[in-house]
Amino acid sequence: MRVRQHPALAVGLVGVALAAMSHPTAAAWIVGGFGEEPRRGLNPDRLLTLGIHHLSLSAVGLALVALLGLGLGILVTRAFAESVRGGVDGLAAAAQAVPPVVMVALALPILGFGGPPTLLALVAYGVMPVLRGTVSALESVSVEAREAAEALGFTKLQILLRVELPLAMPGLVDALRTAVVLAIATTAVGALAGASTLGTPIVAGLQNQNVLPMLQGVLATAALAFLCDAAMLALADLAPGGTAR
Amino acid sequence: MRTKPTLAIPLRTFSFRHAMAGLPVAGLLLAALHGLPLLNLAANRLLPGDPVYASAFVNPSIGIVSILSIAASGFLVRTQRGIGGLLTSILFLAAWSVLLLGLGAQAAHLVTSQPPAASASLGSGFWIASVSLLVLTGISIGHTHRRCLGAIAAMCGLGLPMAAWHSGGLNHLSLAVEYAGRQAALHDAVVEHLLLSGGAVCLALFAAILLSLWRSGQSIVGLLVSGVQVIPAVALLGGLVALVSGLVRAVPALRDHGISALGPCPAVIGIAAYLLLPLWRGIGAALRSADPASIDVAEALGLTKFQILRDVRLPLGASVLVGSLRVAVVQSLGLATLGAIIGAGGLGRLVFDGMAQFASDLILIGAIPIIVMSLAAEWVLSAIEARCRLRWRA
């Protein structure tokens, strides 16, 4: 158990260290080390507000992604949906060919500034990895396990809920972990569309050549990504039959 | 360790098992054509426009498009594979070109009776109808089971709007007006974009080969390379700007070599950092794909280490290698867009200019080439990957 928790702990520690470095005093010290005259940075309250916005936008997007990705993944692996499998797969893959920045930009004239275009990009970009992960996790469930459940008289729904999903759980958690990392990154890009996230100080800092808030945003965004990744790794350990790596 | 999300093969996976899947798409197509605005007419390019629906059209193009699509969908469901699929894909492409020319003609009709600054932009109905027609063409080609047709159809799909534009049929659509005004800038941006992503792929390939050579440090390399993937791209690029500006301040001589904090230098490094994981993993998997028995045989035959690498390991791992290159190239084309926020140029600059001005046509001018290039790269490299797999069956 102790060995297994190691990756989550290490990733989490990196996250905490980055978060500590994003504190104005620490960041000003780093910027000073670069030989730059530090200008006014973001106070911790503002950083925290942006972080909470970032996290909640990502969480809403992730919930939609999980719902759509897991749902479609379960749907297309059912026997009756064999014929739409290629179509769903192809559409999800085509959506992936549009980079998140471009998706945010294309949604901007239709959905306006702020959260909505970011959410659309989050969903469009995140569904495909979750869908593929769900399908491959469900397909990895052995035929014997399924046949044994059938022989025991389980209904199709019972097989799904009590055999397939539990056996596929490690794969599903892994797919969601990728989606979490993607969601944090895409939300940061949303700052370009005016969503108030941890990407905002980065974009503003780049425009005003103001290194201190930019660096704080950089460190805080990276910290959030590492902390969420660590949380998902820990969750993978808790999941039934879960071995994170 | 599970692999990161890789792009599937959009054009190949469009091969639906059942032509029946085309019927809901055809329904969506007809609904979009008749229920959604096909054009938006505005007094100038920055104002939101008034929607123009199919019912207001003075030419019969939308009717022709509907009839062609209904006929083609009928054929798709009723006819045999092979020739039926060929016929339907031609019909769908024809329907798309009629739609384009019809919208161009209607735009010309609307704009000429308006003040000079008026612009007619393509509406949501057009975009949804176009995507539906694309999907339907894909279904038809999947129906024929001949993959070479896909290439021809893609050429037609790109060639038709080009031809329509050159003939002047689209001149009054705002997208064409915007394009005509920015042709030179767009050309430069495409070249910059290709240089940025090409440079990043080369740098990452070089670094990945070096990292693969460090035999004893593979676990550390693995941790670092997958750690980078967790950092959001905006943050990594911003961090690199801070780092490079610090470096330039500490070693002013770097400035004389053309290295500055903002610009292509940090962008190429940042993009390359994300490509390390697929490439490094691909190289490792490719070298391992030859089974130990073949290596033993090659050794017994007296082949040198280099000969084994060249004649056994690389051919057997070629498809894996090309596969990882495909993932890297498509990722780098997308990431290069983001390079524009740190002043690296490329198509991202047009996209961000468009966002700043809230001008959707400008965003599209930047976005369409990005999407076309990533789909083309994805498609060409996956075809090469399949060819390699056939040639050297592992």
Side-chain angles (χ1 to χ4, degrees):
Chain A
M1 205 59 205
R2 185 176 292 272
V3 182
R4 260 202 229 156
Q5 270 171 4
H6 195 73
L9 202 63
V11 173
L13 280 177
V14 172
V16 172
L18 285 168
M21 275 153 71
S22 73
H23 189 274
T25 323
W29 188 72
I30 297 171
V31 171
F34 283 149
E36 190 114 3
E37 190 61 42
R39 283 187 272 172
R40 205 164 63 84
L42 296 168
N43 59 11
D45 282 348
R46 172 84 181 124
L47 213 55
L48 197 65
T49 319
L50 287 174
I52 290 169
H53 270 178
H54 195 121
L55 204 58
S56 46
L57 200 57
S58 302
V60 174
L62 192 70
L64 289 171
V65 162
L67 212 67
L68 270 174
L70 291 177
L72 283 175
I74 291 172
L75 194 74
V76 297
T77 45
R78 298 306 96 193
F80 64 84
E82 191 83 0
S83 61
V84 295
R85 171 91 176 260
V88 172
D89 227 27
L91 281 180
Q96 184 87 356
V98 185
V101 208
V102 175
M103 191 73 80
V104 170
L106 288 178
L108 187 71
I110 307 163
L111 298 176
F113 281 103
T118 313
L119 266 185
L120 183 79
L122 269 173
V123 173
Y125 206 64
V127 164
M128 145 102 169
V130 178
L131 176 65
R132 311 214 117 223
T134 308
V135 169
S136 69
L138 284 173
E139 276 178 348
S140 70
V141 173
S142 71
V143 184
E144 287 84 5
R146 226 173 268 151
E147 279 171 356
E150 224 166 284
L152 285 172
F154 279 30
T155 64
K156 287 216 164 112
L157 185 68
Q158 280 175 323
I159 295 180
L160 175 68
L161 291 179
R162 289 166 63 179
V163 179
E164 289 183 291
L165 284 183
L167 282 176
M169 196 52 86
L172 297 182
V173 175
D174 218 22
L176 285 180
R177 193 181 131 222
T178 326
V180 168
V181 172
L182 274 178
I184 301 283
T186 312
T187 311
V189 169
L192 289 166
S196 121
T197 70
L198 285 172
T200 309
I202 304 178
V203 174
L206 282 168
Q207 278 162 356
N208 313 331
Q209 299 281 307
N210 196 355
V211 180
L212 182 53
M214 181 186 84
L215 193 70
Q216 283 182 286
V218 165
L219 293 167
T221 314
L224 193 62
F226 275 103
L227 288 174
C228 289
D229 197 33
M232 288 306 287
L233 277 171
L235 202 69
D237 258 355
L238 292 177
T243 44
R245 297 223 168 170
Chain B
M1 210 186 269
R2 190 169 286 274
T3 48
K4 281 286 276 187
T6 59
L7 265 177
I9 311 94
L11 293 164
R12 195 170 66 194
T13 43
F14 271 133
S15 57
F16 295 74
R17 304 251 169 89
H18 261 284
M20 282 297 185
L23 288 185
V25 185
L28 180 69
L29 167 69
L30 291 176
L33 279 179
H34 294 279
L36 288 172
L38 295 169
L39 288 171
N40 281 306
L41 184 67
N44 65 52
R45 75 189 252 279
L46 297 180
L47 282 180
D50 298 319
V52 179
Y53 291 89
S55 51
F57 270 48
V58 290
N59 57 49
S61 56
I62 303 306
I64 299 175
V65 174
S66 312
I67 292 168
L68 279 176
S69 330
I70 292 170
S73 311
F75 274 131
L76 187 63
V77 179
R78 301 293 306 173
T79 53
Q80 295 289 311
R81 292 175 178 276
I83 192 74
L86 185 66
L87 182 70
T88 47
S89 49
I90 291 172
L91 281 177
F92 283 127
L93 281 176
W96 193 54
S97 36
V98 172
L99 178 64
L100 262 179
L101 289 172
L103 289 183
Q106 177 69 19
H109 169 76
L110 289 173
V111 169
T112 42
S113 60
Q114 295 271 329
S119 80
S121 59
L122 295 164
S124 55
F126 167 77
W127 295 111
I128 294 175
S130 293
V131 171
S132 313
L133 280 169
L134 179 85
V135 172
L136 285 166
T137 314
I139 296 175
S140 312
I141 289 167
H143 205 47
T144 62
H145 285 283
R146 284 205 199 106
R147 298 215 27 213
C148 60
L149 277 180
I152 299 171
M155 298 272 199
C156 293
L158 276 179
L160 286 174
M162 290 280 187
W165 185 73
H166 274 289
S167 70
L170 309 177
N171 277 355
H172 292 280
L173 288 173
S174 59
L175 195 61
V177 175
E178 192 82 48
Y179 174 65
R182 296 195 184 250
Q183 224 168 344
L186 179 67
H187 182 261
D188 290 349
V190 169
V191 172
E192 277 169 10
H193 202 93
L194 288 175
L195 282 177
L196 270 182
S197 44
V201 170
C202 291
L203 179 65
L205 202 57
F206 180 67
I209 291 172
L210 281 185
L211 288 175
S212 308
L213 288 176
W214 185 25
R215 308 295 308 174
S216 56
Q218 290 299 293
S219 56
I220 301 172
V221 171
L223 271 181
L224 282 179
V225 163
S226 34
V228 170
Q229 300 285 322
V230 177
I231 307 171
V234 178
L236 186 68
L237 289 176
L240 277 170
V241 168
L243 204 67
V244 174
S245 77
L247 258 179
V248 170
R249 207 172 299 268
V251 190
L254 283 176
R255 210 186 294 270
D256 304 332
H257 292 282
I259 292 175
S260 60
L262 289 171
C265 176
V268 168
I269 299 173
I271 298 164
Y274 289 102
L275 311 182
L276 283 176
L277 181 73
L279 289 174
W280 171 76
R281 235 180 225 176
I283 291 172
L287 292 181
R288 265 180 272 114
S289 64
D291 61 317
S294 329
I295 303 293
D296 285 346
V297 170
E299 267 169 6
L301 284 172
L303 268 65
T304 63
K305 273 209 149 133
F306 176 72
Q307 281 173 324
I308 293 178
L309 180 70
R310 191 190 60 191
D311 299 332
V312 183
R313 287 188 195 266
L314 283 185
L316 284 176
S319 67
V320 181
L321 215 53
V322 176
S324 68
L325 193 65
R326 169 176 62 85
V327 175
V329 168
V330 175
Q331 259 185 26
S332 87
L333 283 170
L335 284 167
T337 319
L338 215 49
I341 61 164
I342 58 170
L347 288 162
R349 200 178 47 210
L350 295 179
V351 173
F352 296 139
D353 281 354
M355 284 169 87
Q357 301 173 18
F358 213 70
S360 48
D361 291 313
L362 188 50
I363 298 176
L364 281 170
I365 293 277
I368 291 171
I370 299 172
I371 298 170
V372 169
M373 286 196 302
S374 12
L375 282 176
E378 166 81 33
W379 196 30
V380 168
L381 286 169
S382 69
I384 297 176
E385 188 186 346
R387 191 61 58 86
C388 286
R389 195 171 299 133
L390 280 179
R391 173 102 162 67
W392 296 290
R393 205 180 289 273

